[in-house]
């Protein structure tokens, strides 16, 4: 009847509203969690969210399940800002009200109170939350290939905001998948960075092989002395026209154009070919540059075309070279491996 339908609506609406409140808080917690994993979380944002959750918990009309959920989410935020004792209390309070709620289980796992998530009986629609925790754990353990697999599987059924917030971490895991168990700890740390300096590059190459032995030998040299020797050897000179290398220091950011110049010179020097011969610029004189952001009159035109043609470097979007962007350490690693073959 019409009256019973109205009654159903009256009863169900608050419950739906409650779920929307929880979903809104959960999304903010997930955003913080992903930022925390990437080292970009702002503590003040977490403090603000705790105030918001406290306000929701003061509502005496919320159901026990929602109260337990909010307490667990509050505990996760407290844990993110290193308030473990508060997170412990949130966990206990959440469990006392309602056991088996997924956010409570995740908080318990992160607090070390639950050792193995696979042993927890969960409904099928909540298995993805466990996969996500496995993805994050694999990431911190530097098992990047496994991490990507868990992320991709978890994203299929988790709410969209999980994918939105954790995708940068998933993509970073994908880019770092080439770090092998033989990579030295120092090199692995460099490869995890978003960018490198010239000093970092020289340090990395020396740690991982003998590509620079010809120029630097076994001498104990300062960063500045190493760079000077590589400059003297011609590894930083442009192929197509003169460029001033005096302004290059160990702290100079390693841009993509600078990496192309160095790698192209290194590639040719190892093979006894003359990189100083600008053959590509001549070849494209009539048709113009095939790369939109690489003008034909660029001092490093040949270096870029040569590196791309031999797959020492790539076009990040398949079209542009992005010369002034910093090169990703993993792309540099791949290029050096090609040269070393």
């Amino acid at each position: 009847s019409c009256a019973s339908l109205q009654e159903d609506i009256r009863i169900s609406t608050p419950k739906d509203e409650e779920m929307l409140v929880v979903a809104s808080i959960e999304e903010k917690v997930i955003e913080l969690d992903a930022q925390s994993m990437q080292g970009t979380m702002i503590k003040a944002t977490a403090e603000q969210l705790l105030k918001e959750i406290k306000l929701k918990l003061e509502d005496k009309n919320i159901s026990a399940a929602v109260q337990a959920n909010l307490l667990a989410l509050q505990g996760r935020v407290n844990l993110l800002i290193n308030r473990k004792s508060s997170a412990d209390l949130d966990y206990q309070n959440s469990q006392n009200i309602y056991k088996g709620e997924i956010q409570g289980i995740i908080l318990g796992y992160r607090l070390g109170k639950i050792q193995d998530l696979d042993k927890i009986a969960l409904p099928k629609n909540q298995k993805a939350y466990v996969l996500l925790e496995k993805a994050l754990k694999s990431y911190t353990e530097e098992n990047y290939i496994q991490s990507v697999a868990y992320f991709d599987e978890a994203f299929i059924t988790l709410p969209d905001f999980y994918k939105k917030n954790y995708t940068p971490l998933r993509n970073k895991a994908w880019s770092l998948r080439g770090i092998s168990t033989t990579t030295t700890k120092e090199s692995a740390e460099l490869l995890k960075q978003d960018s490198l300096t010239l000093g970092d590059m020289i340090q990395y190459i020396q740690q991982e092989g003998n590509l620079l032995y010809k120029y630097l030998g076994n001498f104990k040299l300062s960063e500045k002395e190493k760079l000077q020797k590589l400059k003297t050897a011609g590894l930083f000179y442009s192929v197509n026209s003169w460029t001033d290398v005096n302004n290059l220091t160990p702290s100079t950011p390693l841009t993509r154009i600078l990496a192309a110049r160095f790698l192209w010179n290194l590639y040719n020097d190892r093979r006894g070919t003359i990189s100083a011969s600008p053959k590509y610029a001549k070849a494209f004189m009539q048709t113009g540059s095939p790369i939109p952001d690489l003008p034909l009159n660029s001092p490093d035109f040949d270096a870029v075309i040569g590196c791309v043609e031999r797959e020492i470097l790539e076009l990040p979007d398949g079209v542009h070279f992005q010369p002034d962007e910093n090169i990703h350490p993993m792309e540099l690693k791949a290029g050096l491996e090609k040269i070393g073959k």
Side-chain angles (χ1 to χ4, degrees), residues 273-312:
T273 48
I274 301 168
S275 61
S277 170
K279 59 176 184 177
Y280 292 111
K282 288 176 184 172
F284 287 102
M285 196 73 76
Q286 300 302 316
T287 56
S289 173
I291 300 172
D293 56 355
L294 179 74
L296 199 59
N297 64 354
S298 164
D300 298 296
F301 184 85
D302 271 53
V304 173
I305 299 290
C307 282
V308 171
E309 186 182 64
R310 283 163 180 76
E311 297 181 346
I312 295 166

Side-chain angles (χ1 to χ4, degrees), residues 33-39 132 135-136 139-140 144 147-148 151 155 163-176:
D33 191 56
Q35 288 170 353
S36 173
M37 289 290 293
Q38 295 170 86
L132 182 76
L136 297 174
Y139 184 91
T140 56
Y144 298 114
S147 178
V148 169
F151 272 126
F155 288 160
K163 185 175 183 179
K164 177 189 159 194
N165 285 293
Y166 289 113
T167 289
L169 203 64
R170 181 259 176 221
N171 290 347
K172 186 154 192 188
W174 176 254
S175 73
L176 295 175

Side-chain angles (χ1 to χ4, degrees), residues 74-94:
Q74 180 174 271
R76 288 188 61 173
V77 178
N78 274 319
L79 196 56
L80 288 176
I81 54 175
N82 298 317
R83 291 181 187 161
K84 189 173 182 297
S85 55
S86 296
D88 271 322
L89 189 61
D90 290 328
Y91 177 70
Q92 290 308 328
N93 290 337
S94 172

Side-chain angles (χ1 to χ4, degrees), residues 211 256 259-268 270-271 280 302-315 321 327-341:
L211 279 175
R256 295 179 56 77
R261 186 192 302 173
F262 173 81
L263 293 171
W264 185 239
N265 286 326
L266 184 63
Y267 171 84
N268 283 286
R270 280 177 63 80
R271 279 157 185 75
Y280 292 111
D302 271 53
V304 173
I305 299 290
C307 282
V308 171
E309 186 182 64
R310 283 163 180 76
E311 297 181 346
I312 295 166
L313 293 177
E314 57 191 29
L315 300 174
F321 185 67
I327 191 166
H328 192 281
M330 291 302 291
E331 187 181 353
L332 177 72
K333 175 182 182 287
L336 288 164
E337 285 169 359
K338 287 262 173 69
I339 290 171
K341 281 180 181 173

Side-chain angles (χ1 to χ4, degrees), residues 78-196:
N78 274 319
L79 196 56
L80 288 176
I81 54 175
N82 298 317
R83 291 181 187 161
K84 189 173 182 297
S85 55
S86 296
D88 271 322
L89 189 61
D90 290 328
Y91 177 70
Q92 290 308 328
N93 290 337
S94 172
Q95 293 301 290
N96 290 341
I97 295 166
Y98 192 91
K99 281 188 173 71
E101 198 282 312
I102 188 64
Q103 293 299 335
I105 290 166
I106 290 167
L107 177 59
Y109 175 67
R110 292 198 178 186
L111 285 166
K113 297 177 187 297
I114 296 169
Q115 299 301 321
D116 188 354
L117 286 172
D118 285 328
K119 289 182 179 173
I120 306 283
L122 287 172
K124 198 174 180 184
N125 66 345
Q126 292 188 352
K127 299 281 188 191
Y129 292 90
V130 172
L131 288 169
L132 182 76
E133 289 303 300
K134 288 182 175 181
L136 297 174
K137 188 168 187 282
S138 296
Y139 184 91
T140 56
E141 291 172 349
E142 299 179 9
N143 187 350
Y144 298 114
I145 294 172
Q146 187 62 71
S147 178
V148 169
Y150 282 139
F151 272 126
D152 288 347
E153 196 178 345
F155 288 160
I156 295 167
T157 48
L158 283 172
D160 286 345
F161 60 80
Y162 277 82
K163 185 175 183 179
K164 177 189 159 194
N165 285 293
Y166 289 113
T167 289
L169 203 64
R170 181 259 176 221
N171 290 347
K172 186 154 192 188
W174 176 254
S175 73
L176 295 175
R177 71 195 185 282
I179 297 180
S180 68
T181 50
T182 58
T183 307
T184 66
K185 192 181 176 190
E186 294 79 11
S187 293
E189 289 307 311
L190 287 174
L191 292 173
K192 286 179 207 168
Q193 294 175 189
D194 292 324
S195 60
L196 297 171

